Amino acid sequence: MSTPDVVIVGGGIGGLSTAFALSRSGLKVRVLEQAKEFGEVGAGIQLAPNCTRILDDYGLLDTAKARGVVPDRMVMRDAVDGSDLTSLDLRDLERKYGFPYLVIHRSDLHRLFLEACRRAGVELLTEQRVVAYSQEGDTATATTGAGTVHEAAVVIAADGLHSVARKLLVDDQPVSSAYVAYRGTVPIAEVGRPVDLSEVVVYVGPRCHFVHYGLRGGDLLNQVAVFESPKARAGLEDWGTPDELDNAFAGTCDAVQQGLPHMWRDKWWRMYDRDPITTWVDGRIALLGDAAHPPLQYMAQGAIMAIEDGWVLAEHAKLLRGDGGAVDWAGALTAYEAVRPEHCRRVLLAARAWGELWHLDGVEREQRNILLRARETDDYSFTDWIYGPTALFPEDEPAMFEPIPLASADRSAGDLADSPAQ
C-alpha cells in the first residue's frame, strides 16, 4: 500500500465525512474500520442548518433531502397532558439561516458519505481494529491488533465514545447519565394512528421524553423513548430494561402511549457523554467526533459536530497547503484545536442542561411550561449560536444565549394574571 497523507481511524459518519472533506483537496486518505463492512446502526438523525450548510458545500444536500424528510415544524409538547409548549417554524428557520432542517435515517446519511468517499477515491479498509498510536517527527502511525502499521503525515482518531486515542491526551471515563433510549422505526402503513409527518415532535415529561418524526420520504416513522433508570440510580448493572420503559411512561398522554408498542424491546442504548476537554491534538495525532466530544443527545448535534470537525480541519488544510501541495499540518491542527473544542464544550454542557429542563417534575415543570409557552415562534435567540455558519476561527464563534431562570416564570404568570382579558 502506498503511504497516504491522512489515516482516519473509524468509518462512522465522522470518519467518512472527514475523509471526503480532505479528499476534495486532492489529499490521499485512508479510512480504517474495525467491522467487517462499513455500516451504521441506529435510526433517525436530525440535521440542523449548521450541518445542511456543509452538505450543500459538499454537493450532497439534494441527495440527502431526497433520502430524508424536510419537515415544516418542530414542536415541543408536554408528555403528561399532550399540550403544545413551543414550536419552530422550520420553513421560516430555513429562510433565516439559508439552509433547511432535515431528518434522515442514520444509515442513509452514512451511505451518502460512503458513496461520496468511493467516488473521491478514498481508500476504505475493513477489519482494522486499531489498538495503538505512535508518532515520530512528521509521521504518525496507527497499529492494528493484527500488527498492521498504518503510517501517514496525520492520523485522525474518529474512534468513538470509547476512543483508544483519547487516552493519549486525558485519563477519563465515559459519564453515565442514568438515562436510556429505546428506538423503533416502523412503516407508516403499520402505525395504526394518524401521524403528521410534517412535524418533528418531542414530548417532554418527568424523567422521560418521547420523540417522533418521519423518514425516507414519509415511508417510515422514527420513534425514540428516553427515560431515567431507577436501577441505574441504585447502582445495579442490569438497567434500562423493558419493565423500566413501561413504568417510566405510565403517566404519559395517549399520543405517547400509542407509540410505545412500536419500540424495539430487544435492544436499548444507555446514554453516556464525557466531560469536555480542551486538548484534542498530540503532535500529528488528533481526535475528532465522539472521540473528542461525545454529547448527550438532547441538542441533536452529535453527528453534526463530527461533520463540522471534518469540514473545519479540511478548510484549514486547504488554507495551509503550499504551492507544491504539501500541507502545513502543524498549522492546520493548531487552527483546528483553536476553534473546535470551545464550540463543542458549549454544546456538551448545553445538552446536559437541556436534558435537565426536559425532564423536570412538580413546580419546576410548571415553571418551564410557562416560560416555553411565552416564547415567540420567531424568537431565534436560542438557536443563533448553533445554527449559524460553523466558525473557522475563534473570533467567528458567536456569543451564547442568555439562560432564563425558571423562577422568572412566577413573574411571567403574575403578569399574565394581571393583564386584561383578550
Side-chain angles (χ1 to χ4, degrees), residues 14 30 76 148 151 155 188 220 238 287 315 349 369 415:
R30 178 182 299 160
M76 179 177 286
T148 305
E151 181 178 288
V155 171
I188 194 67
L220 292 178
D238 181 27
L287 304 181
E315 288 297 301
L349 297 182
N369 289 359
D415 292 342

Side-chain angles (χ1 to χ4, degrees), residues 205-330:
R207 293 170 296 282
C208 68
H209 74 267
F210 188 85
V211 179
H212 75 237
Y213 51 84
L215 294 173
R216 292 184 177 159
D219 291 339
L220 292 178
L221 179 66
N222 180 65
Q223 300 184 125
V224 185
V226 175
F227 62 90
E228 184 182 51
S229 164
K231 292 179 183 177
R233 289 297 184 203
L236 303 180
E237 292 187 7
D238 181 27
W239 61 275
T241 48
D243 59 304
E244 289 194 300
L245 169 69
D246 295 330
N247 290 334
F249 287 92
T252 56
C253 64
D254 289 345
V256 173
Q257 292 292 324
Q258 291 167 1
L260 292 175
H262 297 291
M263 308 311 296
W264 302 326
R265 289 177 171 253
D266 58 342
K267 56 183 173 181
W268 49 90
W269 288 260
R270 294 171 177 176
M271 295 174 61
Y272 292 84
D273 66 358
R274 286 186 189 251
D275 292 330
I277 57 174
T278 57
T279 302
W280 293 9
V281 176
D282 178 14
R284 292 301 185 96
I285 301 170
L287 304 181
L288 183 141
D290 279 359
H293 48 75
L296 297 176
Q297 294 94 320
Y298 305 113
M299 295 286 292
Q301 287 283 313
I304 293 176
M305 287 192 289
I307 292 169
E308 287 183 308
D309 289 347
W311 181 81
V312 168
L313 179 60
E315 288 297 301
H316 283 297
K318 184 166 57 178
L319 290 171
L320 295 173
R321 195 167 188 182
D323 294 337
V327 174
D328 173 9
W329 283 113

